[in-house]
Amino acid sequence: MQVVETFGHYIEKWSADSPERARRLLKTGWQAQNLKFRFAPDKRLLPADQYLAHLMMDVMLSPLKDPEHSALVSVFTPCELLQEVGLYPYNVESFSCYLSASKTERTFLQTAEDAGLAETLCSYHKTFIGAALSGVLPKPRCIVYTSLACDANLLTFKELAKLYEVPCFAIDIPAGHNPENVAYVADQLRDLAVFLEKSTGKKIDAESLRERTKRSKRTLEGYDTFQKARADKYVPTDLVSPLYSGMTQNILLGTQKEEDYVNRLLSEVEKAGPSKGKRIYWMHIIPFWSDAVKKEFVFNEKAQIVGCELSQVANLEHHSEDPYEDMAMRLVYHALNGSIMNRIDAGIRHAKETKADGAVWFNHWGCKHTLGGSQLAKRKFEAEGIPMLILDGDGCDRSHGGEGQTSTRLGAFLEMLNE
């Protein structure tokens, strides 16, 4: 722990006066961690999740090593088109998670607030903006984002486009789940293909893109199959692996590496032992830094997180052979698009598939969609026989943690489930 704190201290110290030096230290530290993931992984995890930690760190390092071949994206941006033109996903939410894990988020949050951003803006977005304003995070080739599902996107990516002075493409996702909106979004994605071809000088091969979106479909279906298969199994896990899968199931969707990860899960879950303890389905962000949450769930046979909403947001009933329509369907019929009931219904369905004993709805500070829907979610989950705990906190900013309250409420909830 002291090493992490020292590491974060120097990045914070140098970010104001020597941002290039801070960036080099950040890259060096993450490369060292990646070597650990590769050669000394946590043996308590499934081998598939050991592979996932290394895969996710590669995603984080690529924009630091080669920002010219990176595109800044929001978490639900369909990245198959980026992959076709050789651009790495440079994801705002992921980078803020890793900056927080490096214990550097506070100085970047303060930088963003000093620049005029509201305290109530999502801490993931503020952390990234603060790091960008400090000069620690490099300039991308371009920016691509969607209006789904966070209203902070509408501010963050416009500000970053001005700061970095790079071309920016916004994908507007209407709230209604209908074919007309699919056609509207598909047309935007065709325009995005032209934008990316102009930005990179590379052409998108139609057949290659079609095969890539087919791989995306197989990957999503495979992950859902894994989640159902784990219903009667004990799968040891920590707090970050569910977040890694939530990120890669979005920004790496369409890659062979992500499909390989899911295939490994399917192979390994068959060898897992029978279910143990209480099973919790988690809605929204997991506060991976929280000691109170770690105490209850990290490699604990008495209680485990058996699924995270963010890795199961696609509606797999809608599919098209046209790759642009297929990606558009994923966005339009997305669980977090439109009415809060779309999200709640999807969460209940996935919780039941994993035979969850209970659910946690995490009210991440700054997320209006989550905060506003919490009480309705609790009523709906419990009407379906799934007890729910509404837990307040922040997934990125430790200063909004409330560890004492988290420990008390989470402990009482699990005790109630055991009774």
Side-chain angles (χ1 to χ4, degrees):
M1 184 63 70
Q2 287 181 336
V3 174
V4 174
E5 290 175 353
T6 301
F7 176 69
H9 168 74
Y10 278 102
I11 292 174
E12 289 185 326
K13 179 180 177 182
W14 293 340
S15 63
D17 301 320
S18 185
E20 290 286 344
R21 189 182 184 189
R23 186 189 306 169
R24 286 195 299 272
L25 177 60
L26 190 67
K27 182 170 68 174
T28 300
W30 288 1
Q31 285 173 325
Q33 183 64 51
N34 207 17
L35 289 172
K36 181 181 178 184
F37 286 151
R38 178 176 290 181
F39 297 111
D42 191 331
K43 298 295 186 181
R44 294 174 295 180
L45 289 167
L46 288 180
D49 285 332
Q50 297 172 26
Y51 167 81
L52 179 64
H54 169 56
L55 177 62
M56 189 67 205
M57 187 58 89
D58 278 345
V59 172
M60 304 306 298
L61 284 166
S62 293
L64 296 179
K65 292 177 179 177
D66 189 6
E68 178 63 18
H69 290 93
S70 300
L72 197 62
V73 296
S74 58
V75 67
F76 298 127
T77 299
C79 289
E80 291 96 333
L81 289 167
L82 276 67
Q83 296 156 17
E84 285 296 314
V85 295
L87 291 176
Y88 304 115
Y90 183 4
N91 177 243
V92 164
E93 293 89 348
S94 298
F95 262 82
S96 292
C97 277
Y98 276 69
L99 290 171
S100 178
S102 303
K103 295 199 170 181
T104 63
E105 84 279 4
R106 191 60 250 169
T107 189
F108 297 132
L109 286 165
Q110 193 60 56
T111 299
E113 289 175 11
D114 289 346
L117 271 71
E119 184 186 3
T120 53
L121 185 72
C122 174
S123 56
Y124 289 95
H125 288 250
K126 269 197 305 185
T127 297
F128 191 97
I129 290 174
L133 288 169
S134 300
V136 173
L137 295 181
K139 175 181 177 178
R141 169 68 71 90
C142 60
I143 295 174
V144 182
Y145 71 98
T146 79
S147 59
L148 181 73
C150 177
D151 57 0
N153 288 353
L154 305 179
L155 166 68
T156 298
F157 292 95
K158 290 178 182 178
E159 289 300 310
L160 291 170
K162 292 177 187 175
L163 174 66
Y164 285 128
E165 297 182 332
V166 295
C168 181
F169 192 98
I171 308 168
D172 176 43
I173 315 298
H177 291 195
N178 56 61
E180 292 76 19
N181 286 342
V182 170
Y184 170 67
V185 174
D187 284 342
Q188 292 180 75
L189 294 177
R190 294 184 183 96
D191 291 340
L192 173 59
V194 175
F195 169 85
L196 292 171
E197 288 177 338
K198 288 181 179 178
S199 297
T200 63
K202 296 182 179 180
K203 296 294 290 183
I204 293 173
D205 180 82
E207 187 56 35
S208 176
L209 179 62
R210 185 173 292 106
E211 289 304 311
R212 193 175 291 280
T213 54
K214 286 181 180 178
R215 185 183 297 125
S216 296
K217 180 175 181 288
R218 290 196 304 269
T219 303
L220 291 171
E221 289 174 341
Y223 191 81
D224 265 29
T225 300
F226 161 73
Q227 283 295 101
K228 293 171 185 174
R230 77 183 296 174
D232 298 306
K233 303 285 188 175
Y234 171 62
V235 178
T237 189
D238 52 14
L239 298 186
V240 293
S241 295
L243 290 176
Y244 291 157
S245 65
M247 286 297 176
T248 60
Q249 283 289 92
N250 288 286
I251 61 176
L252 288 188
L253 198 60
T255 66
Q256 186 61 57
K257 289 181 178 179
E258 183 64 10
E259 186 176 30
D260 289 345
Y261 162 63
V262 170
N263 287 338
R264 292 186 188 205
L265 285 176
L266 290 169
S267 174
E268 292 165 15
V269 75
E270 296 302 320
K271 306 168 190 174
S275 176
K276 301 177 184 179
K278 295 304 174 183
R279 307 166 62 80
I280 303 299
Y281 196 84
W282 196 280
M283 298 293 289
H284 204 38
I285 293 296
I286 301 171
F288 63 89
W289 53 266
S290 168
D291 289 335
V293 181
K294 288 178 186 176
K295 175 186 173 184
E296 301 294 353
F297 293 125
V298 172
F299 303 117
N300 188 349
E301 294 185 359
K302 295 180 179 179
Q304 315 94 43
I305 293 173
V306 295
C308 179
E309 170 193 29
L310 297 180
S311 59
Q312 294 185 281
V313 290
N315 186 327
L316 301 182
E317 295 178 0
H318 298 274
H319 173 64
S320 170
E321 292 301 316
D322 179 278
Y324 295 98
E325 289 183 0
D326 200 46
M327 290 183 287
M329 286 177 174
R330 202 165 71 228
L331 295 169
V332 170
Y333 295 104
H334 193 284
L336 273 68
N337 186 39
S339 166
I340 190 68
M341 281 307 305
N342 297 328
R343 182 179 183 184
I344 293 170
D345 289 343
I348 291 171
R349 182 173 69 254
H350 293 138
K352 286 183 175 181
E353 288 171 351
T354 60
K355 296 185 179 178
D357 298 293
V360 172
W361 182 281
F362 187 70
N363 271 341
H364 168 67
W365 172 255
C367 184
K368 300 180 184 67
H369 192 268
T370 303
L371 293 166
S374 59
Q375 293 300 326
L376 178 58
K378 182 176 175 64
R379 290 198 298 272
K380 294 294 184 179
F381 268 77
E382 294 185 346
E384 293 292 330
I386 305 171
M388 171 168 275
L389 170 67
I390 298 174
L391 199 60
D392 300 318
D394 198 293
C396 184
D397 182 3
R398 288 171 173 81
S399 68
H400 286 149
E403 282 288 84
Q405 185 183 68
T406 297
S407 179
T408 300
R409 298 184 64 208
L410 194 52
F413 180 66
L414 292 172
E415 184 177 343
M416 179 271 292
L417 292 181
N418 282 312
E419 290 175 351

